[in-house]
Amino acid sequence: MDVTYDGKDHNEVSAPADVSQAKSAPPLEHAYAGFWIRFWAFLLDGIVIGSINRLLISPVFSLLHLPKETGLFTFSLYSITSAVVFFAYFAIMTKCFKQTLGKMVFGLKVVSLVPEKGLTWDVILFREVIGRYINSVYITYLIVGFTPKKQGIHDYFADTAVIHEKLYRKK
């Protein structure tokens, strides 16, 4: 059996014969990420941050013989450093990649709802630092499950949303 190559890529999808058919397709937009998928991404991020603290910060404190314990009403240098790592991880990853490692694994991305403004440093810092502080009362984070764009309080204030990268819905 002779097979010849005709130079065409037969895996490509050709345009529809009727152009009006293509125009009648409903417009699509990325689907918003709900509470549970964001929860699992956050848990994975917690594992990453805990690993960074245990692999980098803890050995440095041990080598320098710095205390890791906290007093009853005081913060130790170790807890402050761990908090800085926590906030810096979320802020830097979101600014550079628009997603953290947890969001990457689950195919999620942070987007600005005001495209002309974008994800600037002031938006990122507000969303990730002030927003994480607001959401330290975890009950407020449950709002994600009940809003149309699946936004948390920090998303509302920063005009952001978390979307699925490869999942779409009709507009």
Side-chain angles (χ1 to χ4, degrees):
M1 173 191 237
D2 285 335
V3 177
T4 58
Y5 178 68
D6 61 1
K8 295 180 183 175
D9 185 3
H10 293 283
N11 291 329
E12 290 182 8
V13 177
S14 61
D18 183 12
V19 177
S20 64
Q21 179 186 11
K23 290 182 182 178
S24 66
L28 299 176
E29 67 181 1
H30 285 281
Y32 296 107
F35 174 80
W36 286 110
I37 191 82
R38 291 174 69 173
F39 173 77
W40 294 115
F42 182 74
L43 282 182
L44 184 56
D45 287 329
I47 292 170
V48 170
I49 294 166
S51 299
I52 291 170
N53 284 331
R54 284 174 187 80
L55 292 171
L56 298 177
I57 306 303
S58 186
V60 169
F61 272 74
S62 294
L63 285 172
L64 298 175
H65 303 293
L66 296 171
K68 295 180 190 175
E69 311 83 36
T70 60
L72 184 59
F73 295 107
T74 60
F75 296 106
S76 71
L77 182 59
Y78 182 77
S79 64
I80 293 169
T81 306
S82 297
V84 168
V85 168
F86 176 86
F87 292 120
Y89 168 80
F90 282 102
I92 292 169
M93 292 292 293
T94 303
K95 177 61 179 166
C96 294
F97 304 106
K98 298 182 180 173
Q99 54 193 173
T100 60
L101 291 173
K103 287 182 179 76
M104 287 179 192
V105 167
F106 289 98
L108 307 177
K109 185 183 281 189
V110 178
V111 295
S112 175
L113 295 178
V114 184
E116 48 286 343
K117 187 174 182 183
L119 289 177
T120 58
W121 273 112
D122 58 334
V123 170
I124 296 295
L125 290 175
F126 183 84
R127 182 184 190 277
E128 298 300 341
V129 177
I130 305 300
R132 300 268 171 218
Y133 181 75
I134 291 169
N135 285 331
S136 64
V137 180
Y138 292 109
I139 194 86
T140 62
Y141 198 70
L142 292 175
I143 194 171
V144 171
F146 301 102
T147 58
K149 293 183 180 178
K150 309 296 183 195
Q151 293 173 287
I153 293 173
H154 61 296
D155 288 316
Y156 273 117
F157 292 144
D159 285 329
T160 59
V162 178
I163 60 166
H164 290 275
E165 286 184 296
K166 298 180 181 178
L167 187 62
Y168 295 88
R169 66 184 184 99
K170 293 178 186 177
K171 277 190 174 182

